[in-house]
Amino acid sequence: MSLPHLADPAGRYRTMRLIRSFEELALEWVRSGLVVGGTHPYSGQEAVAVGVCAALDPADQLTSTHRGHGHVLAKGADPGRLLAELLGRVGGLNGGRGGSMHAADFSLGILGANGIVGAGAPIAVGAAWAAQRRGEPTVVASFFGDGALNQGVLLESLNLASIWRAPVVFVCENNGYATTLPAASAVGGSACGRAAAFGIPAETVDGMDVEAVRAAAGRAVERARSGGGPSFLECLTYRFEAHHTMERRFRLSYRAAEEVASWRERDPLATDLPEAAAIDLEVAELLAAAAGFALASAEPDPATATDHLYASGLRPRSGAAL
Amino acid sequence: MTLLSYAKAMNRALADALEADPAVCVFGEDVGAGLAGLTPGLQQRFGAGRVVDVPLSEQAFTSAGIGAALNGMRPVIELQIPSLLFLVFEQLANQAHKFSLMTGGQARVPLTVVVPGSGSRSGWAGQHSDHPYGLFAHVGIKTLAPATPTDAYGLLSSAIRDDDPVVLFAPAGALGVREDVTAPLVPVPIGAARVHRAGSDVTVVAVGHLVHQALAVAEELAGEASVEVLDPRTLYPLDRAALVESLGRTGRLVVVDDSNRFAGFAAEVLAVAAEECRLLAPPRRVTRPDGAVLPFALALDRALQPDAEQLRDAIRAVLK
């Protein structure tokens, strides 16, 4: 059974709109100082998260990245709890312990956004290996950007997944830039060429087209679930915003305005769905309620700062003078 | 009389854990062949699906262990060379250790990393001879250094059952130790020190294989002083209560620790003593030099490791 909220085009549009509006609100909250630190906005890449998750079952899992809000929401996490997490409140997905870059909801198979580029891939391979060992039908989608293509551990992970025939779908979101470094000048060979070198079926797909992503992801998930091993998708996409919210202050000019504009013309949210306007209203209401929940959630008690440091309950020594 | 070797004790701990819990699995290089001495016979007995020979991709298979742990497995990762710990420091310090806190307690990572043959192996030179347990203790990963076969069995058993990541150093200098075992082998709690020899004049805190050196020196000095030998067994979390209790009786402290001196494990023991105890004499430590890199030539390799003479001198110094 696929994820019910992504079962039809309207549901997929609704979730993409939710992600976009969520990111716009998050940006506003960063600018106003409500969110400390910052975020890595997913705007522009919605079709990738939604298209891939539309091919997953509820029991399937994913690993995410520093630019993770889209994946987390697409898999079905509660937007109010994700907003509360950005605010560092106790009602957040992680109780305010993780923030934007570590959002996780294990009850939904979201094994965590990750602050280290490429770090989610081997975790996904191990999670898939464990599920496979137990005879569970779980497939694990591992999202990463074009920057991760040059991380050694990603290449090691492709190899491990290949030799184990692990049920993993590697999803490379190629948004053209590793922060400011263009993929064209950073990636020797190609994304799909890396996968092919390890014997993993790979295809490049239009990452601005949710239905194209869903179709390709569907083939990959089917292959994984039927014992055919891992697949690799390179989704060509673009982030409409800065790499992270701090970048706005620096007024960087590594991307030409024309380039940004041309990709914005291919906005994945452009739709001729007749119900789009109604969905937009619905999402606005949903997000307003989510914001209300997040803002009403309590600040954590400083006395709990080392809670959860150890799963076994070990308490660390205090840093204060004796 | 049954003489049990350290390596055989670890092998038995792994076998018992694999037998008792289907979630336990082993990832490592050459574990099928049992090259490092820990896993002989295990793959034949439990299958290549549970005792898994992995390619030379330490970072990926360590993180794959994390992923498997997140999905309910209890993986044991064997790293044949202590310096490989530097390669997977990201996976252990930045991923495995942080998942529980960062996820607000949603995740647990019951992952055990075992390094058979840590420290000097005599003649394996700069990149095979480190003892970086202080690094793991520093970041807060449960860090073990058993000295005897029964403790190796007991601590490895506890590590595998623990819900947090644990790194266990099996010092090369202890792998040859044999012990007459009469009692049944049982788990040893993490965080509990062991007094190997009671004494009243000075407490020698000895780590790993140096416990045996300390016991020999204590015996040798028996006519001069009553030396207590305290083996922390778990370096983190340190059994501070046992240390404070021992120093409360002796008032004198020597630490012998086969790792680098600056910001090393011995420094922490001295800090605890300074903060929590009233010592009768300035404490001493016998360690490798600051930032040591063990040279190849045997005489040079030995020259940088704590030896019995240095320990004798340190004990006499605190007794003055």
Side-chain angles (χ1 to χ4, degrees), chain A residues 62-65 72 101-106 109-114 120, chain B residues 99 103:
Chain A
L62 62 82
T63 63
S64 174
T65 70
V72 172
M101 258 191 292
H102 305 297
D105 189 337
F106 278 64
I110 301 164
L111 304 184
N114 205 302
Chain B
F99 257 79
T103 63

Side-chain angles (χ1 to χ4, degrees), chain A residues 61 85 93-95 97-99 102 104-107 110-112 114 116 119 122-131 133-134 138 140 152-153 156-157 159-160 163-164 305-317 322, chain B residues 22 25 27 49-50 52-61 63-68 70-73 90-91 94-95 97 99-109 139-142 162-164 236-237 240 268 272 275-276:
Chain A
Q61 298 177 315
E85 189 57 35
L93 287 173
N94 307 27
R97 267 71 179 177
H102 305 297
D105 189 337
F106 278 64
S107 71
I110 301 164
L111 304 184
N114 205 302
I116 300 297
I123 292 172
V125 173
W129 176 87
R133 256 208 66 71
R134 286 197 297 256
T138 311
V140 187
V153 77
E156 292 182 10
S157 303
N159 184 60
L160 265 194
I163 62 169
W164 286 347
T306 59
D307 283 7
H308 309 300
L309 181 55
Y310 295 93
S312 58
L314 173 68
R315 306 300 300 200
R317 180 169 45 154
L322 288 176
Chain B
C25 57
F27 289 175
R50 291 186 70 196
V52 185
D53 274 310
V54 290
L56 310 192
S57 304
E58 290 83 10
Q59 297 184 326
F61 73 67
S63 261
I66 297 170
L70 292 174
N71 265 359
M73 303 294 284
E90 141 69 16
Q91 282 69 28
N94 207 29
Q95 304 287 341
H97 173 57
F99 257 79
S100 179
L101 179 121
M102 291 195 309
T103 63
Q106 294 179 68
R108 54 184 189 152
V109 183
V139 298
I141 292 175
K142 294 172 181 177
D162 199 272
D163 278 342
D164 291 310
Y236 188 85
R240 301 202 318 281
E268 179 59 34
V272 170
E275 283 183 323
E276 301 186 31

